[in-house]
Amino acid sequence: MADTVYDVTTWPGASVDARTDIGRVVNEIIADIKTRQTTQNTRPGAVVYIPPGHYDLKTRVVVDIGFLTVKGSGHGFLSEAIRDESVTDSWVETQPGASHIRVVNTDGHKEAFLVQRTGAPATVGRLGSVVFQDFCLDGVASTKPYTPGNTKTGISVQSDNDAFRIEGMGFVYLEHAIVVKGADAPSITNNFIAECGSCIELTGASQVAKVTNNFLISAWAGHSLFAENAEGLHFSGNTVLWAANLTLRNSHRASITSNKLLSNFPSMVALLDGSSENLISANHFRRVHGDGSSTRYDDLYGLVHIEGGNNAVTANHFSYDVPPANITPAGAAPTIILVRSGAANFLSGNWLVGNVPVKVVLDASSTGTRVLHSALASQLTAYTTDHAFVATP
């Protein structure tokens, strides 16, 4: 075996079988890497390989080296909620598969993988090019809405980081699937994240994060995507289901494009705390009534909710299909787009379809909003005269 490639099942330095506690084994591998890569010029990183199998993670893994790839042989996702609500006598398999890690955490920590390096000056703590790829992190047991739930976190990155990749992963039954603080150019793509409280959280600040081609299926108490103080986020090609909720706070120049969003609840994209110059374009929004209960938002909050300026909402398709008896407040005309505040927002070429009358609403604190072919005359409610409106013919 090369000094930079480690198989968790065959590495001779392991003190336990990886199936018994893969966390302990990976920590021992990282310690071995440190003994072999000791200078600035001799740290190319390493690969930790997880063959297909079922592994218990009892000890949190702490990743404090750069250029590390932790990879398996498939995301192995299986819907545990469907399993737990079904008679499974005739099922062929009832556990996730491929490279499947059960997050047991008997060491008192909540994370499966904590990525963190401490030191001063700040650049000592910055980590680069860590990759998580093609394995499943399974919280083992949880109940809807999963947050607050089993308090488990899949991957938590708490040091400033550069060019991380999280790809082809499966996450299930975790309160938090992915949390990345201080992200610089991360790529989060082709993952299957379902039955988790929150899917992806970009905390602290981030720049040019790429979140593409994921399945994100979260419950009504968390977020499909949460980003704060983000610059240049790119969110595209994702399928976002159940409680499709993208919340951006003080975030600017994001592009949210070509996604499929299907939700049982209001607030599918919210631009909050002065978020500005964001583009929401060519998405399909579908709002239906289904299982789960949430009082976090009512149907006046908007499927798209804007508190900020110079945002563009263009060429989106909105489909609203909720029985009148399930609309809140009772008897309300649901809001599709709410411009609550901010100057010079631009709505153009959006198409609204509803089984009940639906609205585009401009609140009194909004100024200079332009609404072009995005609502029929009967679909616009404006509490301000400071706007321009060209009705959909």
Side-chain angles (χ1 to χ4, degrees):
M1 180 189 302
D3 290 344
T4 54
V5 180
Y6 297 78
D7 182 324
V8 297
T9 63
T10 60
W11 180 57
S15 62
V16 296
D17 189 298
R19 295 167 184 84
T20 301
D21 186 0
I22 192 173
R24 182 172 174 179
V25 173
V26 175
N27 282 332
E28 291 170 345
I29 288 171
I30 291 172
D32 187 74
I33 295 167
K34 290 179 181 178
T35 67
R36 296 170 184 270
Q37 301 179 21
T38 57
T39 72
Q40 288 179 321
N41 295 321
T42 60
R43 292 190 175 124
V47 174
V48 178
Y49 175 59
I50 306 166
H54 300 293
Y55 305 85
D56 283 350
L57 186 146
K58 298 176 182 176
T59 305
R60 177 182 69 182
V61 176
V62 178
V63 176
D64 58 357
I65 59 174
F67 315 113
L68 181 71
T69 294
V70 183
K71 66 181 296 184
S73 291
H75 68 64
F77 178 85
L78 178 142
S79 172
E80 297 190 322
I82 292 175
R83 177 200 64 195
D84 292 345
E85 295 169 357
S86 304
V87 176
T88 60
D89 295 346
S90 62
W91 286 28
V92 175
E93 61 273 310
T94 57
Q95 292 292 326
S99 303
H100 170 219
I101 295 177
R102 292 181 287 242
V103 184
V104 180
N105 279 95
T106 58
D107 63 348
H109 296 295
K110 65 182 181 180
E111 308 95 347
F113 288 85
L114 173 65
V115 183
Q116 186 172 52
R117 181 163 64 192
T118 58
T123 53
V124 174
R126 186 176 175 86
L127 285 161
S129 299
V130 173
V131 178
F132 296 95
Q133 183 176 2
D134 293 334
F135 61 95
C136 181
L137 287 172
D138 171 10
V140 182
S142 194
T143 56
K144 299 173 184 176
Y146 313 121
T147 178
N150 60 19
T151 73
K152 294 177 181 177
T153 298
I155 298 170
S156 178
V157 182
Q158 294 299 314
S159 284
D160 286 350
N161 53 91
D162 185 22
F164 274 34
R165 292 190 290 128
I166 302 174
E167 299 179 349
M169 296 283 294
F171 299 84
V172 62
Y173 271 7
L174 299 161
E175 184 169 347
H176 305 275
I178 300 170
V179 180
V180 186
K181 179 181 179 182
D184 185 351
S187 174
I188 303 173
T189 188
N190 291 331
N191 302 288
F192 208 112
I193 308 175
E195 294 154 19
C196 293
S198 286
C199 295
I200 300 169
E201 297 162 271
L202 302 175
T203 63
S206 66
Q207 58 180 347
V208 292
K210 180 170 72 71
V211 181
T212 57
N213 301 326
N214 301 284
F215 280 92
L216 306 177
I217 307 171
S218 61
W220 57 90
H223 297 94
S224 309
L225 171 75
F226 173 82
E228 59 185 1
N229 311 316
E231 171 63 40
L233 169 70
H234 180 58
F235 187 89
S236 182
N238 299 285
T239 299
V240 191
L241 305 174
W242 192 13
N245 181 283
L246 281 59
T247 296
L248 279 62
R249 292 188 174 275
N250 187 37
S251 297
H252 312 291
R253 290 163 287 279
S255 59
I256 300 172
T257 58
S258 301
N259 302 285
K260 171 64 179 177
L261 300 100
L262 170 62
S263 184
N264 295 345
F265 308 100
S267 186
M268 297 169 79
V269 176
L271 306 179
L272 307 179
D273 297 344
S275 294
S276 65
E277 298 181 41
N278 299 289
L279 172 66
I280 302 171
S281 185
N283 303 285
H284 191 288
F285 295 83
R286 186 176 180 217
R287 166 79 162 93
V288 298
H289 179 67
D291 72 332
S293 176
S294 172
T295 58
R296 184 160 62 165
Y297 311 106
D298 63 25
D299 284 290
L300 300 181
Y301 192 84
L303 301 187
V304 172
H305 181 106
I306 298 173
E307 299 175 16
N310 290 294
N311 299 290
V313 182
T314 65
N316 299 283
H317 191 291
F318 294 92
S319 301
Y320 188 96
D321 187 10
V322 176
N326 298 113
I327 294 170
T328 57
T335 300
I336 301 300
I337 303 172
L338 171 62
V339 182
R340 185 177 180 188
S341 62
N345 289 292
F346 181 68
L347 283 54
S348 177
N350 300 289
W351 185 247
L352 283 55
V353 179
N355 67 313
V356 296
V358 294
K359 293 287 187 178
V360 171
V361 178
L362 312 181
D363 272 0
S365 55
S366 65
T367 59
T369 306
R370 292 163 176 81
V371 183
L372 310 178
H373 291 184
S374 290
L376 302 174
S378 61
Q379 292 175 325
L380 180 71
T381 298
Y383 297 100
T384 172
T385 58
D386 189 358
H387 70 279
F389 178 53
V390 176
T392 302

